[in-house]
Amino acid sequence: MSHFDSSKTALESLRNLLLTDPDAEVRKEAAFALGEIANPEALSALKEALLSDESAKVRQMVVWALGGLKQVGEEYLIRALHEDSSLFVRRESAWVLGKVKSRRAVGELIEALKRESSQLVLEIILWAVAEISPKSLSRLQFILEKEYAEKIKAEYIWLLGKYNQKSLLKKLLRLYPGSSVKVKRAFIWSLTQAGG
């Protein structure tokens, strides 16, 4: 379906397939095609599918398609990040927001990080914050202070090294000397990456 051009006829056909076809695979492919076309006129159909389709796979593809619309789709990506019942849709939302470098979403991602319970989603939210605004990693120190899994704490420290947040790394190393082995190893790797 991605061979359709962005003509009104193609958009209308894809819109109808996305919103009315009984087969979830067809709806998913229609969402993919709308994402390939990346025409802002597809926003209303994508928004409607995101809010009403019962298939998490379709909603996940809709989120991907919204990413093709860049800033036009940000509001709905943020909404899916906060409200969708599927961890895969929330994860895709965080990934797309990071991929399009949505500055508007940084605060929303941080808020989602405080509420999210899935490690799969938490990892991507961390990545997205770092990808959009490495300096915003300083706002995430609460990860080391709260009941997050050691893997998430280590991922946070690893991102500090990857994005060269040397002064924050040194500060955190002094504050959290009793960390787990996994977190200590992340500190070692990150300090090496950030130049000691």
Side-chain angles (χ1 to χ4, degrees):
M1 286 188 201
S2 62
H3 64 279
F4 279 123
D5 62 20
S6 58
S7 72
K8 278 275 198 216
T9 305
L11 284 171
E12 192 56 34
S13 296
L14 291 169
R15 180 189 187 288
N16 287 337
L17 287 170
L18 175 62
L19 298 176
T20 64
D21 199 277
D23 187 321
E25 283 302 313
V26 171
R27 296 193 310 273
K28 181 179 164 189
E29 287 298 318
F32 174 79
L34 288 169
E36 287 286 299
I37 291 171
N39 185 322
E41 290 181 29
L43 179 64
S44 65
L46 292 168
K47 173 186 127 179
E48 188 175 335
L50 182 64
L51 300 177
S52 65
D53 201 292
E54 72 273 1
S55 168
K57 288 183 179 182
V58 173
R59 294 193 315 275
Q60 185 176 0
M61 186 58 74
V62 166
V63 164
W64 175 85
L66 284 166
L69 301 179
K70 308 277 189 233
Q71 286 77 19
V72 174
E74 280 179 327
E75 175 185 344
Y76 303 103
L77 292 169
I78 291 168
R79 186 170 177 179
L81 174 70
H82 289 303
E83 299 175 8
D84 202 277
S85 61
S86 168
L87 71 94
F88 298 106
V89 175
R90 295 192 310 274
R91 186 174 196 254
E92 187 77 12
S93 297
W95 182 83
V96 170
L97 288 165
K99 199 74 174 155
V100 300
K101 297 192 185 302
S102 171
R103 289 227 170 263
R104 176 181 170 200
V106 172
E108 300 290 345
L109 286 160
I110 292 170
E111 284 307 307
L113 191 60
K114 293 174 182 176
R115 290 189 326 272
E116 183 60 54
S117 59
S118 166
Q119 283 191 40
L120 291 173
V121 181
L122 287 169
E123 288 175 28
I124 298 301
I125 292 173
L126 281 171
W127 168 83
V129 170
E131 189 69 12
I132 298 165
S133 173
K135 291 192 183 297
S136 293
L137 287 169
S138 65
R139 295 169 58 190
L140 306 183
Q141 295 177 41
F142 63 85
I143 289 172
L144 295 175
E145 299 161 358
K146 305 249 186 222
E147 295 299 317
Y148 287 91
E150 294 302 306
K151 182 178 181 184
I152 299 302
K153 292 178 180 183
E155 181 76 14
Y156 171 58
I157 299 302
W158 181 82
L159 286 167
L160 292 174
K162 180 179 179 190
Y163 289 92
N164 201 23
Q165 302 297 303
K166 187 175 178 179
S167 60
L168 182 56
L169 268 169
K170 288 183 176 181
K171 174 186 167 190
L172 293 176
L173 186 59
R174 285 192 304 274
L175 292 175
Y176 300 100
S179 299
S180 71
V181 172
K182 186 176 274 195
V183 173
K184 285 179 182 177
R185 290 176 73 198
F187 270 121
I188 292 167
W189 182 88
S190 293
L191 286 166
T192 302
Q193 295 306 302

